[in-house]
């Protein structure tokens, strides 16, 4: 398994290109199942999860071709075409490795009137149920059966009807599955208390480009008037607001000055507000967002919440930034039940963090000391990179396959702004 080795102490200075958003790509890719025409996605990030999703689509009968791109380019162009489905089954061995595979459930049900998808199981950050996905689809007429670890969904008569569903809890994935299923329903589907993340807006905009009729885009009430068929489209994946926020935290902890090229301020206002709370200079530029810092970060008090609140996917990275800050920062994780896996690893580097249930107090220390640490999940592994960039000495991050799921060519992007970082392949 590869390792990333960082020799801390370098201030990050320069421009970091922000890639296409992983969490947008993973809901745009299954849209290719909704039509027999080609869907071309531009600015697709080179990520393990994107590759994994492409393989799943292939298993279902969707052909995927990647347009040639120069090695130095970030992002790729993929054309996906499902002329005919050859399977409506998403098997356990794929779904257990990549939870986002559950996002083929809605499209398969809409396209073929049936779907058999493995229950994804839990992951490091929580048990991650999918009950809301299933309840939303049932509200649109789906008959759902759970047998031997699989969800078997059928649309009576081969097509979902209209319906209404109010989410008791905001769920990004359930909103995405429901939207894709509703786009081909016979009737109107209304989703209330729907997720409003920018990735949901990206999905809606792509579906509309394919011929879907969706009202309320960007709000918590989405009204979808089903159509008989969708056509192909060419769509550009939005910039990754979480990647951008992650590198912003790295700039702050190293007292650097970076431009996040391609980042959109209006998609990450809570993150930018938290960076300003920490004392960073944050300003929009013609090509992105500049984040600069001198001195230690001010203490922050942050509680994660659905968009437009402070993103749970940014919690670990801000916590790493706060470890060298002044005073004490307070974090409260309200979305997932176990999203502090980075804490024991950060503690190995000398951080002073006290976790009490859903909250964690981070007391700034004078310095961090590099150490061998282990990544446990995607955003936790980024928090270790951030801490390692500012630590004295060498930090070795193991199990970097977690990082490769969500950060395109991370070490190249950081090397280009002065970090002393390298990937050591284990062969
Ligand atoms: C998406 O996960 C993202 N993943 C996550 O990013 C992100 O943390 C999360 O949304 C919240 O923003 C992708 O988009 C691929 P949820 P998702 O359904 O859809 C509960 C990353 O690091 N819930 O919004 O799985 C759930 O347990 C990843 O990039 C149910 O109870 O998240 C959680 O407490 C990690 N029943 C809350 O809702 C359900 O049926 C929010 O989960 C579904 C969810």
């Amino acid at each position: 398994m590869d390792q990333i080795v960082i020799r801390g102490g370098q201030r990050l200075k320069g421009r970091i290109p922000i890639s296409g958003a992983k969490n947008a790509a993973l809901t745009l890719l299954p849209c290719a199942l909704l039509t027999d025409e080609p869907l071309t996605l531009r600015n697709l990030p080179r990520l393990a999860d994107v590759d994994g999703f492409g393989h799943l689509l292939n298993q279902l009968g969707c052909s995927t071709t990647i347009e040639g791109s120069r090695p130095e380019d970030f992002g790729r162009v993929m054309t996906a075409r499902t002329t005919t489905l050859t399977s409506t089954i998403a098997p356990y061995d794929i779904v257990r490795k990549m939870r986002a595979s559950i996002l083929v459930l809605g499209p398969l049900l809409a396209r073929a009137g049936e779907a058999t998808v493995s229950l994804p199981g839990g992951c490091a950050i929580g048990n991650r149920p999918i009950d809301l996905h299933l309840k939303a689809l049932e509200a649109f007429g789906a008959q759902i059966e759970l047998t031997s670890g699989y969800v078997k969904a059928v649309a009576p008569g081969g097509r979902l009807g209209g319906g209404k569903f109010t989410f008791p809890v905001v769920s990004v994935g359930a909103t995405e599955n429901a939207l894709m299923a509703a786009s081909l329903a016979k009737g109107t589907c209304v989703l209330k208390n729907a997720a409003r993340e920018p990735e949901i807006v990206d999905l809606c905009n792509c579906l509309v480009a394919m011929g879907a009729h969706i009202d309320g885009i960007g709000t918590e009430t989405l009204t979808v008037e089903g159509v008989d068929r969708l056509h192909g489209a060419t769509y550009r994946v939005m910039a990754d607001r979480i990647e951008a926020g992650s590198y912003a935290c790295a700039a702050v902890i190293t007292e650097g000055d970076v431009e996040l090229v391609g980042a959109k301020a209006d998609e990450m206002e809570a993150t930018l507000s938290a960076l300003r709370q920490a004392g960073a200079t944050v300003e929009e530029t013609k090509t992105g967002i500049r984040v600069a810092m001198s001195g230690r970060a001010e203490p922050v008090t942050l509680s994660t919440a659905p968009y437009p609140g402070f993103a749970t996917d940014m919690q670990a990275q801000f916590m790493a930034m706060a470890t060298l800050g002044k005073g004490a920062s307070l974090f409260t994780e309200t979305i997932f039940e176990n999203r502090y896996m980075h804490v024991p690893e950060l503690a190995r580097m000398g951080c002073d963090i006290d976790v009490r249930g859903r909250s964690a107090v981070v007391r700034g220390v004078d310095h961090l000391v590099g150490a061998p640490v282990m990544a446990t999940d995607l955003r936790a592994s980024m928090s270790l990179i951030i801490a390692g960039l500012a630590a004295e000495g060498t930090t070795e991050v193991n199990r970097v396959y977690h990082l490769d799921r969500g950060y395109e060519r991370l070490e190249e992007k950081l090397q280009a702004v002065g970090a002393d970082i390298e990937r050591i392949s284990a062969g």
Side-chain angles (χ1 to χ4, degrees), residues 22-23 26 99-100 125 128-133 169-173 197 312-313 335-336 339 378-379:
K22 166 182 83 84
N23 290 348
L26 294 178
R99 303 184 37 74
I125 64 176
R128 311 285 296 273
I130 60 162
D131 56 315
L132 299 178
H133 297 241
V169 171
V170 172
S171 164
V172 169
E197 272 68 4
T312 175
D313 291 350
I335 306 291
F336 291 110
R339 204 165 196 179
L378 171 56
R379 306 306 173 183

Side-chain angles (χ1 to χ4, degrees), residues 80-372:
R81 181 166 200 173
T82 318
T83 309
T84 49
L85 284 170
T86 55
S87 167
T88 58
I89 298 172
Y92 175 61
D93 67 320
I94 290 183
V95 179
R96 71 184 175 85
K97 290 178 205 140
M98 187 182 59
R99 303 184 37 74
S101 312
I102 192 68
L103 293 175
V104 302
L105 175 59
L108 288 175
L109 197 51
R111 177 78 182 274
E114 63 167 40
T116 304
V117 179
S118 168
L119 284 164
C123 75
I125 64 176
N127 73 0
R128 311 285 296 273
I130 60 162
D131 56 315
L132 299 178
H133 297 241
L134 306 183
K135 288 191 180 105
L137 296 175
E138 284 174 329
F140 302 157
Q143 289 170 355
I144 306 275
E145 190 190 341
L146 297 181
T147 48
S148 320
Y150 279 78
V151 173
K152 186 154 178 49
V154 173
R159 193 173 178 190
L160 292 175
K164 280 191 182 184
F165 182 71
T166 300
F167 287 98
V169 171
V170 172
S171 164
V172 169
T175 300
E176 291 165 345
N177 250 332
L179 273 169
M180 291 186 279
S183 62
L184 286 175
K186 186 174 180 55
T188 301
C189 297
V190 180
L191 291 171
K192 289 184 177 295
N193 197 29
R196 296 166 54 194
E197 272 68 4
E199 293 74 20
I200 302 277
V201 173
D202 227 25
L203 170 61
C204 289
N205 290 338
C206 181
L207 288 170
V208 167
M210 295 170 68
H213 296 164
I214 304 174
D215 284 328
I217 296 175
T219 75
E220 73 277 5
T221 300
L222 296 168
T223 302
V224 184
E225 193 186 319
V227 293
D228 293 340
R229 63 186 303 278
L230 292 172
H231 50 72
T234 294
Y235 192 77
R236 180 180 171 79
V237 180
M238 63 177 276
D240 195 321
R241 60 192 174 99
I242 306 299
E243 183 196 24
S246 303
Y247 288 126
C249 291
V252 170
I253 200 172
T254 60
E255 297 188 56
D257 187 341
V258 302
E259 183 185 12
L260 308 165
V261 180
K264 298 276 191 302
D266 62 357
E267 294 170 350
M268 47 193 292
E269 285 173 1
T271 296
L272 303 185
S273 162
L275 289 166
R276 292 189 177 106
Q277 197 186 118
T281 299
V282 178
E283 54 196 24
E284 283 188 74
T285 65
K286 288 195 177 57
T287 48
I289 302 168
R290 176 180 173 247
V291 177
M293 184 70 179
S294 59
R296 287 178 179 265
E298 298 295 328
V300 292
T301 297
L302 294 168
S303 182
T304 63
Y307 191 89
F310 180 73
T312 175
D313 291 350
M314 284 303 311
Q315 176 257 111
Q317 299 91 305
F318 265 83
M319 185 177 283
M321 182 188 77
T323 60
L324 279 177
K326 299 172 191 166
S329 292
L330 174 64
F331 294 85
T332 304
E333 174 55 61
T334 70
I335 306 291
F336 291 110
E337 60 269 32
N338 186 34
R339 204 165 196 179
Y340 289 133
M341 303 279 279
H342 42 288
V343 170
E345 296 304 309
L346 288 171
R348 291 175 48 75
M349 301 173 72
C351 303
D352 179 353
I353 305 173
D354 190 6
V355 174
R356 297 287 170 91
R358 291 272 183 151
S359 293
V361 176
V362 181
R363 292 180 184 79
V365 294
D366 177 63
H367 65 282
L368 300 180
V369 180

